[in-house]
Amino acid sequence: MPESADLAQYLKPFVYETLNTRALHFSISEIQSRMQTQRPHALDLDYTRTMAAFMLFSPEPDMLAMIGLGGGSMAKFCHRFLPATRIKVIEINPHVIALREQFCVPPDDGRFKVRRGDGADFVRFPPYRLDVLLVDGFDYDGQPPALCSQRFYDDCHDALQPNGLVVINLHAGHRDCAVHVARIRRSFGSDVLLVADADGSNTIVFACKGRLAGRFKPASARRPEHLDADTRAELMPAFQAVARALGQAESA
């Protein structure tokens, strides 16, 4: 996307701070991202902890991309706990990227890069095939149509390595949530796992270019690697919920 694009077309988010947290908002009623100021790498919102369960299927991906930076929760988590993974973050809103230092997003380096761009274009013309793709693209209106179309999900499938994994955050209350899930199934087949986050406001979709259960690493559900004790304790309920959901889907 050219740097000369009219920045006024992108809504500027604002930052709301409490004693212990810093949050990114487009409106006061909707939190886009929240950070614990004393532990900026921690995943503070429930849905991000569920998304992090991609580690059950792909504990040490080589190439990981994410669509949507927000406050950088997933980007910081992956940068810290996947030290051998090459990470690329695509964010369309320049005003969001401008807040990266306030949210302690690491600077770009040889294995970690934040780039301004259109996520739909990125998966349509991927510079390389991905082991893991995380899709968490929201704006002030919710999920942009370009990031939940049939073409987009088809392109996500094509952007993955064989047996690659996509994890998609959907708003559970969206009137077209079931339509989006049906499109994902059309792209990836019936082997798609849906897991609600703890408060039920988000549905996290896990889909594999291949057989999802074949990627499951049972030991990771008991003791995820790369995680410190506090982070492991915070993530275990979400990881166990994903493992249970997979077991139920397999036995159905």
Side-chain angles (χ1 to χ4, degrees):
M1 180 171 297
E3 291 299 322
S4 59
D6 181 9
L7 302 189
Q9 68 179 296
Y10 299 104
L11 186 69
K12 292 184 73 170
F14 63 91
V15 177
Y16 180 81
E17 295 195 46
T18 68
L19 183 63
N20 300 311
T21 66
R22 183 175 300 148
L24 184 144
H25 293 252
F26 284 115
S27 71
I28 194 61
S29 61
E30 295 285 343
I31 295 177
Q32 298 294 314
S33 184
R34 190 173 63 205
M35 177 183 78
Q36 300 174 25
T37 51
Q38 298 303 311
R39 297 178 64 233
H41 63 277
L43 295 176
D44 193 56
L45 296 180
D46 288 329
Y47 88 88
T48 60
R49 299 176 185 180
T50 305
M51 290 191 76
F54 75 82
M55 295 174 69
L56 299 177
F57 305 95
S58 187
E60 298 179 273
D62 180 35
M63 300 294 305
L64 181 149
M66 54 187 73
I67 296 175
L69 173 65
S73 296
M74 291 302 300
K76 289 179 291 186
F77 174 86
C78 292
H79 180 268
R80 180 181 180 101
F81 293 113
L82 297 173
T85 299
R86 288 173 286 174
I87 301 165
K88 190 165 188 176
V89 185
I90 307 300
E91 171 59 54
I92 198 169
N93 189 331
H95 303 301
V96 171
I97 297 175
L99 295 173
R100 63 184 291 176
E101 291 186 5
Q102 288 195 50
F103 284 90
C104 304
V105 176
D108 288 3
D109 58 28
R111 70 176 187 91
F112 178 83
K113 292 178 172 61
V114 176
R115 292 290 181 264
R116 184 181 171 200
D118 186 315
D121 287 343
F122 176 76
V123 295
R124 189 169 302 150
F125 307 107
Y128 37 73
R129 299 296 166 184
L130 304 167
D131 298 296
V132 175
L133 173 63
L134 307 179
V135 181
D136 188 16
F138 283 76
D139 59 22
Y140 65 98
D141 281 330
Q143 293 170 258
L147 298 184
C148 50
S149 68
Q150 188 65 62
R151 172 68 182 271
F152 174 72
Y153 295 132
D154 288 347
D155 289 338
C156 288
H157 179 276
D158 292 343
L160 296 174
Q161 294 273 16
N163 293 319
L165 179 74
V166 65
V167 182
I168 302 168
N169 176 32
L170 298 179
H171 193 294
H174 193 285
R175 64 182 182 278
D176 290 330
C177 185
V179 173
H180 299 160
V181 171
R183 290 172 181 167
I184 296 168
R185 293 189 189 279
R186 198 169 297 124
S187 298
F188 285 86
S190 60
D191 196 16
V192 170
L193 184 68
L194 309 181
V195 183
D197 68 349
D199 64 12
S201 59
N202 296 73
T203 295
I204 308 304
V205 183
F206 297 81
C208 186
K209 191 175 182 177
R211 189 166 180 270
L212 188 63
R215 298 292 308 275
F216 181 52
K217 311 295 183 185
S220 299
R222 297 192 299 271
R223 187 176 180 82
E225 297 180 1
H226 314 307
L227 304 181
D228 59 58
D230 288 342
T231 301
R232 187 180 300 118
E234 289 171 346
L235 295 185
M236 281 306 294
F239 280 30
Q240 290 168 347
V242 172
R244 284 195 303 271
L246 184 63
Q248 291 165 0
E250 286 291 291
S251 61

